[in-house]
Amino acid sequence: MTEKFDKRKFYKKNREMILYLVCGGLTTAVNFAGFWVFAEVEKLSVGSASVWAWGLAVLFAYVVNRVLVFQSENDSWEALLREAAAFAGARIFSGIFEVGMMVFLADFLRFPVWWAKIMISIAVVVLNFAASKRIIFCRHGQRGGESHEKKVPC
């Protein structure tokens, strides 16, 4: 006999991942909307539109990741600056990856722009979750797999 699926238990166990995916989806929507405005309305190049759209998405992502997803409790200025710098650094890396891949796939390989945008966005979400979970918002000591109550920069 199988056990009844318990939604609350599932959510409690997977809260961070579920919220990250929801907020990641919203961040992607911000990125896509920004890309549309900059590429289609403002008629910027694919590379420029990607840079501006990425910037909007990064601002949105930091707020929702810090407050909703990982519930960072870092309240000292030093810890907050370290966290923000790590977040910005990781997003700069994934932003360079995104823009480079967009230009490569869309401009050089003539891949359909929106298909390229969708594929690259999936890869960026995976990269950003790994960085946020393991480096930026991790609990002290969690890198080795152990978990502690207090959240502090690693």
Side-chain angles (χ1 to χ4, degrees):
M1 198 161 173
T2 60
E3 191 176 314
K4 184 180 175 188
F5 179 71
D6 185 348
K7 289 184 244 179
R8 288 184 186 145
K9 189 175 182 180
F10 178 81
Y11 177 78
K12 186 176 180 179
K13 182 178 179 183
N14 299 291
R15 184 197 69 77
E16 212 170 65
M17 177 65 77
I18 292 166
L19 287 175
Y20 188 83
L21 290 174
V22 169
C23 291
L26 293 171
T27 300
T28 301
V30 168
N31 189 310
F32 276 45
F35 182 78
W36 179 80
V37 167
F38 295 120
E40 303 294 332
V41 176
E42 296 298 322
K43 304 294 186 200
L44 298 180
S45 69
V46 168
S48 294
S50 291
V51 169
W52 284 102
W54 169 82
L56 290 174
V58 168
L59 290 173
F60 177 81
Y62 179 70
V63 173
V64 296
N65 278 286
R66 184 179 202 298
V67 175
L68 299 176
V69 179
F70 299 104
Q71 300 176 334
S72 176
E73 295 172 357
N74 292 329
D75 55 2
S76 75
W77 281 106
E78 181 183 345
L80 183 63
L81 288 174
R82 262 197 316 257
E83 181 183 89
F87 188 88
R91 292 319 190 265
I92 288 169
F93 173 79
S94 67
I96 291 168
F97 170 80
E98 179 179 348
V99 172
M101 289 303 296
M102 279 299 295
V103 170
F104 177 70
L105 290 176
D107 288 347
F108 291 113
L109 297 182
R110 301 286 186 214
F111 205 81
V113 172
W114 287 104
W115 282 111
K117 187 75 174 161
I118 290 167
M119 291 185 324
I120 293 164
S121 293
I122 292 167
V124 166
V125 167
V126 172
L127 286 171
N128 287 339
F129 179 77
S132 293
K133 174 79 174 164
R134 295 292 175 197
I135 300 167
I136 302 162
F137 300 108
C138 70
R139 292 171 181 90
H140 185 67
Q142 191 178 22
R143 283 189 184 155
E146 56 185 289
S147 178
H148 296 283
E149 292 297 323
K150 188 170 179 168
K151 295 180 183 179
V152 295
C154 298

